[in-house]
Amino acid sequence: MTLEQQAQHGLGADLVLEGGGVKGIGLVGAVLTLHKAGYVFPRVGGTSAGAIVAALIAAYQTRGVDLSQVERDMRELDYTQFMEKSWAEKHLGPIGKAESLIARQGVYATGYLTQWLTAKLDPLGIRTFADLKITDDDDTGLPPRQRYRLVTHTSDLSRRALVRLPWDLPYYLLRDPDGAPLAEQIAVIDSYLVVDAVRASMSIPYFFEPFLQTTVLGSCTWVDGGLLQNFPVTVFDRTDGQANRWPTFGVKLMARPLPEVPDVPVAGDLRELAAVAHTAIGEWNRYPLADQGVGARTVYVDTMKIPSTDFGLSQEQKDRLFENGRTAAAGFLAAWNAAHPRVPAPRPGQGAGARDTTVTVTSTADATVTVTGAADTTVTVTGSDGAAS
C-alpha cells in the first residue's frame, strides 16, 4: 500500500516539525512514538532543525527505511562541527570572527550540514525533489506543484517573503511562473536539490552564512525560515473548502504554555530590540492558531529552556530531550484517541457487499461507536451515561 492508502485506511497524518537548532532530537522522540503507535506520514514539513528531521523522515519512508534510523542519525550528528572556523577565526580570534561575519554575512559556514545530509540521502537515491514526488495518489486534490513529500521553509530577505520549498521555486526560476506551461513549472521543481532546500531553511541570521539563491532576475538572500514561520503547522491544511483526508500533527519544541504568566512591560532600547527579535521568531500568531484549534493537534515537547545554539549539548541533555519528546507524544496520543475514537474507513473493494459488516470501537472514555454496513451506514455513539447521539 502507498503511504496515502495507509493514511486513509489506517493511521496517518501529515507532519510539521518546528525549528529549534540543537533541540531537534526532541522532535525525533515525539515522531518515533507516533510512528510506533501505527502512524505513517504522507507529507512532512519543517523549518530549520525541523527541516533536517523532516527530510530524513520523507526520504526514509519513500525508500522503506525503518524510521528508527532517524534517531541514530540525529544522535550521531556532531553539533560542534556546525561552528566551522575559517583561517582568520583560528588565528585571529575575535578579529577573525568579525572578518568572517563581514565577508560571508555569518560567523559560521554550513558545509558540514550539506556534507552530512548528502551522505544520508545519496545512498538512497534521494537527490532532487523528483525523488520525493507523490506519483501514485489518484484521490489527491493537491495542485501539481505541491505533490511532494517534503516542504521546508526559508525567509527571503531580498523579496521580504516566506518561501515554501519546493512549492514556490517557479517564482524564482521562471520569468512567468503563472503563465509558464505546467510541465515547465514541474521541471524546475523536480531538478532542485533536497539538500539545498534544507540548507536554506536553517541559516540563522548572522550565526550562519545565508543561502544565496540564483534567480532569473539575479539572486536572492535566503535565511532561516524561523524568522517568519518557525512552526508552519497549517501548511498542509486544505484551502478548497473540502475536509482533510487525514489530520496534520505538529511537534513544537516548547512546553505547553502556562495559563497564567504575569505580563511585564518591555522597557529600554536594548530590551525592546531583543523583544522584537524574539517576537519575530516566536509565537506571534498564537491567537489565530488557537482559533483554528491547532493546540489540539500539537505535541508540546519540553526543551528545558536549552538555547537553540547550544552546540555543546551533552549526551545527558540529548537523552532528556529525546525522552521528553516520547513522553509528550504519548500524552498527546492519549488525548487524541479519547477525542477521536477510530472508525476504520472501508478498504478498497468494500462496497455493497459489506452491508452486514459491523465494526465496534471502544474509546478510553467508555464510548462505543458502532458502524453497520458500508452503503446504508448507521453510526451509534453511546456514552457512559447510556445516552445516544
Side-chain angles (χ1 to χ4, degrees), residues 32 248 366:
L32 291 187
T248 295
D366 297 327

Side-chain angles (χ1 to χ4, degrees), residues 67-296:
L67 289 189
S68 62
Q69 180 62 41
V70 181
E71 179 186 355
R72 293 190 286 272
D73 292 340
M74 295 303 291
R75 285 189 180 278
E76 77 172 26
L77 184 59
D78 185 358
Y79 290 109
T80 63
Q81 294 296 316
F82 280 83
M83 297 185 290
E84 300 177 56
K85 293 184 178 181
S86 65
W87 181 93
E89 289 176 88
K90 293 177 181 177
H91 296 87
L92 301 178
I95 296 177
K97 280 192 175 183
E99 185 274 337
S100 296
L101 181 59
I102 295 171
R104 61 192 182 200
Q105 296 178 264
V107 175
Y108 301 113
T110 55
Y112 172 71
L113 182 278
T114 301
Q115 295 169 10
W116 181 85
L117 188 56
T118 299
K120 300 297 179 185
L121 301 184
D122 267 10
L124 301 176
I126 303 289
R127 293 192 69 256
T128 69
F129 276 94
D131 302 314
L132 295 177
K133 184 184 289 189
I134 300 171
T135 59
D136 47 10
D137 183 12
D138 295 334
D139 296 326
T140 185
L142 292 172
R145 279 165 46 169
Q146 296 183 10
R147 295 177 187 176
Y148 296 86
R149 301 211 176 276
L150 173 70
V151 58
T152 72
H153 296 75
T154 187
S155 302
D156 183 347
L157 298 185
S158 299
R159 298 188 183 182
R160 299 172 179 82
L162 177 70
V163 185
R164 305 160 302 172
L165 298 174
W167 300 354
D168 297 328
L169 284 169
Y171 293 114
Y172 292 86
L173 304 179
L174 297 175
R175 289 195 174 276
D176 183 13
D178 294 319
L182 180 59
E184 193 173 336
Q185 298 178 44
I186 298 303
V188 298
I189 292 177
D190 282 353
S191 61
Y192 198 80
L193 293 175
V194 173
V195 169
D196 282 353
V198 176
R199 157 78 175 82
S201 183
M202 50 77 62
S203 298
I204 302 173
Y206 301 114
F207 200 89
F208 292 123
E209 62 179 326
F211 184 87
L212 200 62
Q213 174 61 50
T214 301
T215 75
V216 292
L217 300 175
S219 59
C220 287
T221 298
W222 288 353
V223 298
D224 197 301
L227 183 66
L228 295 177
Q229 191 65 284
N230 204 38
F231 186 49
V233 67
T234 59
V235 65
F236 295 130
D237 291 354
R238 296 186 68 151
T239 58
D240 60 0
Q242 301 296 313
N244 294 309
R245 291 189 289 172
W246 47 77
T248 295
F249 292 163
V251 183
K252 195 165 180 57
L253 290 172
M254 63 169 289
R256 184 176 287 275
L258 297 174
E260 292 186 13
V261 177
D263 289 322
V264 179
V266 177
D269 293 340
L270 292 179
R271 290 183 180 179
E272 184 175 356
L273 182 62
V276 168
H278 285 298
T279 300
I281 64 175
E283 290 188 287
W284 55 268
N285 60 342
R286 70 178 68 177
Y287 302 127
L289 291 181
D291 290 343
Q292 298 174 47
V294 164

Side-chain angles (χ1 to χ4, degrees), residues 305-325:
K305 298 183 179 179
I306 294 174
S308 297
T309 54
D310 182 4
F311 292 100
L313 204 64
S314 69
Q315 187 60 52
E316 180 183 358
Q317 287 175 309
K318 289 182 181 180
D319 291 343
R320 289 185 64 189
L321 284 169
F322 182 81
E323 288 302 320
N324 285 356

